[in-house]
Amino acid sequence: MILDRPTIILGAGGHAKVVLDLVNAMGAYVAGILDPQLHETGVTEWRGIPVLGNDSTLECYQTDRIYLANGLGSLPGWDRRNLLYDKLTIKGFHFPALVHPTVIMGSGVAVSHGAQVMAGCILQADVSIGENTIVNTGAQLDHDCSIGKHCHIAPGATLSGDVSTGNCCHIGTNAAVIQGCHLGEGVVVGAGSTVLHDLPAYAKLLAAKPQALNITT
């Protein structure tokens, strides 16, 4: 996608750094960021771009003249990210899909508004990504995966073919989901976990803790 309007990034945390690099990699013009904490402390520049103000500063912009990029990250604060996206979308602001140039995309892939697909990801044929979802660095989604909105597929996660999720799911770093599994709304899969079967809404699957070695001398 070509970003043909100035882009404003919301937030100035760690995820926002990656989003800034992503937007730059797409060749877009970043007009600045909005961050209440930086604004309150009088900071005027962040990573070479202007600090434009706080969220209320958006009232000065016409919704059809700019794009927004959600720089708020995953847990903690996931609800805040989702609520901000929904609130501003209702007001008429547009969050374009952001896809890093290094992403490998198969045929029939669909990436919805506000979704962010980071460097090194692989999206195979007929994958669909919901609104405001993050597919983070190096994640791999095989054919026919369908991801709901407001989800986070963390770095290095692997989803085999025909995996589907509800909204607001979190699949942790280096987790794996085998083919055909469905994850209900709000499911949390811990880092390094392996999902072998469907999980109901709001289930939590955490990786087993490593056992202490019993070494005798």
Side-chain angles (χ1 to χ4, degrees):
M1 177 179 181
I2 298 175
L3 301 182
D4 55 358
R5 305 178 195 169
T7 299
I8 294 176
I9 296 174
L10 308 179
H15 184 69
K17 297 177 184 179
V18 183
V19 171
L20 174 60
D21 287 347
L22 170 57
V23 175
N24 283 334
M26 295 176 68
Y29 169 62
V30 180
I33 68 161
L34 298 177
D35 186 87
Q37 291 182 339
L38 293 183
H39 177 65
E40 289 174 8
T41 56
V43 176
T44 59
E45 186 177 277
W46 177 82
R47 302 184 76 82
I49 61 174
V51 176
L52 302 174
N54 53 27
D55 293 349
S56 64
T57 305
L58 281 177
E59 297 173 5
C60 302
Y61 292 90
Q62 294 178 283
T63 59
D64 60 349
R65 295 295 182 90
I66 61 169
Y67 288 134
L68 299 181
N70 202 337
L72 303 184
S74 183
L75 304 172
W78 189 242
D79 287 344
R80 182 167 176 259
R81 170 187 169 86
N82 300 345
L83 290 171
L84 183 64
Y85 173 85
D86 288 339
K87 173 185 174 181
L88 293 177
T89 298
I90 290 171
K91 287 186 174 182
F93 288 100
H94 183 62
F95 293 76
L98 302 177
V99 179
H100 197 279
T102 61
V103 171
I104 297 174
M105 295 182 65
S107 58
V109 172
V111 182
S112 298
H113 298 305
Q116 300 168 349
V117 186
M118 302 306 185
C121 292
I122 300 175
L123 307 181
Q124 294 287 19
D126 294 330
V127 164
S128 64
I129 308 297
E131 290 184 50
N132 195 45
T133 282
I134 302 169
V135 182
N136 225 325
T137 310
Q140 301 182 35
L141 283 66
D142 219 300
H143 64 88
D144 299 297
C145 286
S146 178
I147 309 302
K149 66 180 182 179
H150 301 317
C151 292
H152 181 209
I153 312 300
T158 301
L159 280 60
S160 296
D162 199 29
V163 169
S164 62
T165 80
N167 299 330
C168 303
C169 291
H170 177 89
I171 300 178
T173 300
N174 288 330
V177 185
I178 68 163
Q179 64 274 10
C181 287
H182 173 72
L183 310 184
E185 181 172 350
V187 163
V188 175
V189 177
S193 299
T194 300
V195 179
L196 301 175
H197 50 75
D198 293 355
L199 294 175
Y202 305 106
K204 293 184 179 181
L205 177 66
L206 304 181
K209 295 181 180 179
Q211 299 297 313
L213 296 177
N214 184 13
I215 300 176
T216 58
T217 58

